[in-house]
Amino acid sequence: MSTLEIRDLHVEVETESGPKEILRGVDLTVNSNETHAIMGPNGSGKSTLAYSIAGHPKYTVTRGEVLLDGENVLEMAVDERARAGLFLAMQYPVEVPGVSMSNFLRSAATAVRGEAPKVRHWVKEVKSAMTDLEIDPTFAERSVNEGFSGGEKKRHEVLQLSLLKPKFAVLDETDSGLDVDALRVVSKGVNDYKAQSDVGVLLITHYTRILRYIAPDRVHVFVNGRVAESGGPELAEELEANGYERFTSAAAEKEEQPA
Amino acid sequence: MTDAPVASSGGGSTTAPGAPVLDVDPGIRTASSPKIAPWEERFTSYDVEAFEVPRGREEQWRFTPLRRLNGLHDGATADGEVAVTVRSGFGDSASDDLGGVRVEHVGRDDARIGDGGIPADRVAAQAWSAFPTATVVTVDQPRSDDEPLTVLLEGPGVGKTAYTHLQLRLEHQSEAVVVLDHRGSGTVAANLELVVGDGAKLLVVEVHDWADDAVFVGAQHLSVGRDATIRHTSVTLGGDLVRLSPTVNYRAPGGDVELDGLYFADGGQHLEQRLLVDHTATHCRSRVTYKGALQGAEGDKAAHTVWVGDVLIRKEAEGTDSYELNRNLLLTDNARADSVPNLEIETGEIAGAGHASATGRFDDEQLFYLMARGIPEAQARRLVVRGFFGEVIAKVRVPALRDRLEAAIEAELEAIGN
Ligand SMILES: Nc1ncnc2c1ncn2[C@@H]1O[C@H](COP(=O)(O)OP(=O)(O)OP(=O)(O)O)[C@@H](O)[C@H]1O
Ligand SMILES: [Mg+2]
């Protein structure tokens, strides 16, 4: 049983007019075997949260903690976080020209597992994971994400999830840009991994349709750099029906109050 | 990445630390960029005295630190020789049995010398005027890819100067893979003639693996017969200063030339590539792909590379198909890459033409992505650099040489603690 704890997290980015605070005190705890959905308006800081957990150099943590089983994640380098069991499926996966997908996957698996997987097992493992995600085998020889369609990139993020077997996975809009069939395939990929592991999932999304496939235990409304409200799956239905207005106006009022 | 027309400033792009990344896509030269001197206006001569001593302001020499040429441009006399050895095979499996390949040592009065082209700068003319004997290697039948020829050229030694001349002749319909392996110390100026007959096919890889002190200035004259094919790859790793000037001259229609290059400059190194592809015949093809990486350690002298790619498509060269590309990867701050593509088109009847030049720093997003999958930073950097050079290395058709180049790149990266 593992725990990912985010406590009072404040994060800034550097802008032309100086530092700008994006996360303003995020509190969130995810346990193994739990799935938490995070929903919130564009620009509210969801990806910032995801990147900050992964350690993207663009974001500076000014206050707060991220703990993985009590260990301070913020002190770890990006690669150490991954090896400690954190995984981020990115909203915009990066193209790496000249590095083949198969070479990349093998390098990553070797790093995360601490030893090179046995060739024969590995080939089988990759092949079956690709088949499950309905990815054509020819992708293995293509450069990482280069020229992949939006949906193909997302499938490959989930492919990496299933091969790297993290303790916690942050899925940043993995459902965006997927057609109906792809959504089903990708959701099944996540669910299969959930079923065979104790993974805790932080699922960032704009749409309840993915929540019909991947059932959340908790739903958090993310507004203006923090969690505005948390609830059960029914909260997602409410958001679908009424939008974020109730939360955004509340957040705005709070802002306006004199300190 | 920001788009900007590379030639609009009249001289291509110079990317130094802090400058924006340029990613230029195929564009045709604008009127403001410098004109490529057409062949008939380009001054050529075998006689060194016909050229003025360069002062550094000349278009041809403006990037080259003349002081570091050890006098090659100003009449330095030879006090050493380049040892030229021709063998069959590459590396451990090489043998002296050349199986029908002819190797001759001839004087400059030999009628074949000059078939490839005429010097177009003073250092090339100096080498022409001063070489002791020329080596002519003739292939008159197709050789299999598995049997590359290796020509080892060894510098004259520290503090010594030498001039050398090599001609590779491929007779009609013959084929060969040739590795030109440059090593050692000293100061060398050279002419290389690649004379490729009708329907012949030459794959040549020129490796510059010089010692740290070496200065090498070479002119490569590529003469392309009817329907002939040349794949020329130049790999520049070692040396204090290396300047290569390949010139492609199509003698007849149907020629097909690919020029590929890989260079890796460390602190203090000056690596310069100046190309001219002169489309004088119809239905010829040219592809230029040069990739460079630069790394200058902090506190060390900067690493400097220069790439000038001139492509001239003349009025009579209908049906030409041409594309040139140069990419530079700045691995550290202390590095400077000059990149100047020029494309000049004098006929509308072409199949295609374009150029691209981009110089950028190491992409932090790529690094982050790989590291976010657990891959340690040093390994992630190696993956990206290997990927960057991948398409050039993949075209080297000698597996043992490919391995050596990959190992050399790894060693370069390790040298700076990557
Ligand atoms: N370099 C920067 N300069 C200024 N603002 C920035 C910078 N980087 C991020 N931001 C701002 O931070 C805010 C949060 O961005 P983030 O990507 O985390 O939002 P998000 O909730 O993921 O949005 P979306 O739903 O559209 O994906 C945005 O308003 C964004 O414009
Ligand atoms: Mg986002």
Side-chain angles (χ1 to χ4, degrees), chain B residues 47-374:
Chain B
D47 177 15
V48 60
E49 296 310 332
F51 294 88
E52 300 225 20
V53 175
R55 299 282 166 221
R57 294 270 172 84
E58 303 79 1
E59 175 56 35
Q60 265 184 332
W61 293 103
R62 66 185 176 109
F63 291 109
T64 314
L66 296 174
R67 262 177 301 141
R68 284 161 64 186
L69 291 181
N70 297 333
L72 287 178
H73 64 302
D74 195 10
T77 45
D79 55 1
E81 285 196 19
V82 172
V84 181
T85 320
V86 185
R87 306 193 77 194
S88 176
F90 177 78
D92 298 338
S93 61
S95 87
D96 294 328
D97 175 10
L98 298 182
V101 173
R102 225 165 44 243
V103 179
E104 297 160 83
H105 300 283
V106 304
R108 61 180 59 64
D109 55 342
D110 188 288
R112 294 167 295 180
I113 297 299
D115 279 357
I118 308 170
D121 67 56
R122 182 168 163 113
V123 174
Q126 173 73 63
W128 205 290
S129 305
F131 69 79
T133 55
T135 306
V136 178
V137 179
T138 308
V139 178
D140 60 6
Q141 55 192 303
R143 286 173 62 88
S144 108
D145 276 13
D146 308 333
E147 268 184 294
L149 287 172
T150 302
V151 183
L152 180 63
L153 297 108
E154 283 169 291
V158 179
K160 296 216 182 295
T161 298
Y163 298 105
T164 189
H165 195 107
L166 173 67
Q167 185 180 84
L168 294 179
R169 286 183 85 79
L170 266 72
E171 304 290 4
H172 298 189
Q173 307 294 338
S174 66
E175 285 179 30
V177 176
V178 182
V179 179
L180 306 177
D181 202 355
H182 298 75
R183 291 164 181 261
S185 288
T187 299
V188 176
N191 284 284
L192 168 68
E193 297 183 67
L194 304 177
V195 183
V196 180
D198 296 349
K201 188 172 174 193
L202 172 65
L203 278 75
V204 59
V205 187
E206 201 174 313
V207 184
H208 292 272
D209 217 346
W210 297 102
D212 290 348
D213 67 290
V215 171
F216 180 85
V217 179
Q220 294 76 13
H221 311 273
L222 284 69
S223 174
V224 190
R226 177 180 297 271
D227 300 325
T229 302
I230 301 182
R231 300 285 176 265
H232 177 271
T233 303
S234 83
V235 178
T236 316
L237 301 168
D240 173 63
L241 182 153
V242 176
R243 177 182 147 126
L244 307 177
S245 311
T247 300
V248 180
N249 186 14
Y250 296 90
R251 297 196 309 269
D256 179 356
V257 175
E258 293 179 10
L259 301 176
D260 295 290
L262 180 168
Y263 46 91
F264 200 129
D266 294 315
Q269 276 189 304
H270 176 94
L271 306 182
E272 181 167 347
Q273 321 275 340
R274 305 184 69 94
L275 292 72
L276 170 64
V277 181
D278 190 16
H279 279 281
T280 47
T282 57
H283 302 289
C284 289
R285 176 176 174 274
S286 63
R287 286 288 178 280
V288 174
T289 310
Y290 271 63
K291 296 200 164 187
L294 296 84
Q295 58 179 7
E298 230 175 292
D300 197 354
K301 279 183 276 178
H304 189 192
T305 66
V306 177
W307 180 88
V308 180
D310 290 344
V311 175
L312 174 56
I313 302 174
R314 310 217 289 179
K315 229 179 244 94
E316 60 272 32
E318 290 183 1
T320 292
D321 177 8
S322 169
Y323 193 83
E324 60 166 348
L325 171 140
N326 175 228
R327 287 194 190 285
N328 295 296
L329 182 58
L330 303 173
L331 296 172
T332 61
D333 280 346
N334 196 12
R336 174 191 161 126
D338 289 293
S339 180
V340 189
N342 284 310
L343 173 58
E344 199 164 303
I345 304 175
E346 295 175 348
T347 169
E349 306 296 311
I350 55 167
H355 67 181
S357 156
T359 296
R361 285 151 178 281
F362 205 90
D363 187 334
D364 289 336
E365 293 299 327
Q366 292 180 0
L367 199 59
F368 171 72
Y369 189 76
L370 298 176
M371 288 176 71
R373 300 307 182 235

Side-chain angles (χ1 to χ4, degrees), chain A residues 51 56 78-79 82-83 87-88 90 95 97-99 103-104 107-108 111-112 145 157 160, chain B residues 363-377 379 383-384 386-388 390:
Chain A
Y51 278 126
H56 194 289
V78 176
D79 53 319
R83 294 199 297 272
F87 179 86
L88 167 60
M90 292 182 208
E95 301 192 354
V99 179
N103 185 9
F104 163 66
S107 302
V112 166
N145 292 322
E157 293 293 283
Q160 292 166 51
Chain B
D363 187 334
D364 289 336
E365 293 299 327
Q366 292 180 0
L367 199 59
F368 171 72
Y369 189 76
L370 298 176
M371 288 176 71
R373 300 307 182 235
I375 301 172
E377 179 171 354
Q379 193 190 347
L383 277 174
V384 172
R386 236 191 269 151
F388 175 72

Side-chain angles (χ1 to χ4, degrees), chain A residues 67-84:
Chain A
L67 304 172
L68 174 60
D69 294 331
E71 295 247 21
N72 189 350
V73 167
L74 300 178
E75 278 174 5
M76 301 180 195
V78 176
D79 53 319
E80 288 174 319
R81 298 182 196 201
R83 294 199 297 272

Side-chain angles (χ1 to χ4, degrees), chain A residues 45-64:
Chain A
K46 304 179 299 298
S47 293
T48 303
L49 175 64
Y51 278 126
S52 302
I53 295 171
H56 194 289
K58 176 176 148 187
Y59 302 95
T60 311
V61 175
T62 54
R63 192 156 22 125

Side-chain angles (χ1 to χ4, degrees), chain A residues 124-140:
Chain A
K124 257 196 220 155
E125 195 183 342
V126 174
K127 219 173 140 188
S128 99
M130 288 176 79
T131 309
D132 288 347
L133 286 160
E134 298 178 15
I135 295 172
D136 192 275
T138 56
F139 276 89

